[in-house]
Amino acid sequence: MSEEKQTISIDPYFQSELGKLKYENIILKAQYDNVFSQNKELQQNIMELGNKLIESKEVKDAAERKN
């Protein structure tokens, strides 16, 4: 059996719309990547603040025990 290659003609309107959708998809992907990166940064900041809070509480508790 031989494969036949078929050429599909797409209406110029649909080609234009497909191009727009691909462009929008690229923009949405870039926005998603940016939000994902910001979220990761915020999670790291939250962890750091949580650690600082724990450390300051430990220092406070140690100071209270001395008094």
Side-chain angles (χ1 to χ4, degrees), residues 25-57:
N25 192 34
I26 290 168
I27 291 173
L28 289 172
K29 174 75 168 96
Q31 289 174 339
Y32 171 81
D33 290 345
N34 184 42
V35 168
F36 183 81
S37 176
Q38 288 178 347
N39 186 43
K40 199 170 184 179
E41 257 182 65
L42 289 171
Q43 286 177 337
Q44 185 176 356
N45 288 344
I46 289 169
M47 291 291 290
E48 289 173 7
L49 288 171
N51 290 337
K52 286 179 183 179
L53 183 63
I54 290 169
E55 288 172 14
S56 68
K57 183 170 178 7

Side-chain angles (χ1 to χ4, degrees), residues 53-67:
L53 183 63
I54 290 169
E55 288 172 14
S56 68
K57 183 170 178 7
E58 288 171 351
V59 168
K60 182 182 173 189
D61 289 346
E64 286 177 357
R65 278 185 252 143
K66 286 182 182 179
N67 290 334

